[in-house]
Amino acid sequence: MPTPAKLVAAVLMAALAWYVCEIIVREVLPDGSRVGFFREVLPDGSRVGFFREIAALGALVVGWKVIGRPATGPRGRGGKITEVLTAGIGAAIVLLCLGVVLHSFVEMITVSLSGKYTQVGIAMNAWLGFLWDDVQIVMNQVILAPLLLGAVAVGLISGVVGRVWH
């Protein structure tokens, strides 16, 4: 059932994901990297497609499901502070894992459609390689600090909204 806390959690988590993706694109990615569905080309030659939009859409769902339920509480009158804090951290971890796995899978599919892989095992090995590369890019304090701190703030704000607006 839709509640104000779920709506606030979803919208704030989507905004946070957009911001973190902007940090990834502008600060962390090496020059000439490709991310997403390769539509937008940055001045340094990097290709960034719908990366931010897809991440924000995923964060919308994660914020609604992971943070929204504890922020609404069992009776619809808000949750405890510890519950919304841990829900915020959990949502950040879920979003990070989901983003890395899906991005590496899309990258593998994109390369495999060009006919580079002839066997499924080779494609899966390449997927794990892309996954490892993405994990190394994301495990950076420039990305993790705003994501985790922002998710904690989203959890707290959603918890306050859950207590104030029934």
Side-chain angles (χ1 to χ4, degrees), residues 96-161:
L96 191 65
C97 292
L98 185 68
V100 168
V101 168
L102 288 179
H103 178 262
S104 61
F105 184 73
V106 167
E107 185 73 23
M108 184 269 300
I109 292 294
T110 305
V111 173
S112 69
L113 288 176
S114 67
K116 184 174 180 181
Y117 309 126
T118 57
Q119 297 175 352
V120 175
I122 296 171
M124 294 304 287
N125 192 18
W127 180 31
L128 292 176
F130 291 136
L131 184 67
W132 180 248
D133 292 342
D134 288 348
V135 166
Q136 288 179 335
I137 288 173
V138 169
M139 289 302 152
N140 189 342
Q141 66 186 6
V142 175
I143 297 169
L144 292 179
L147 180 65
L148 292 174
L149 293 175
V152 166
V154 168
L156 282 174
I157 292 169
S158 301
V160 168
V161 169

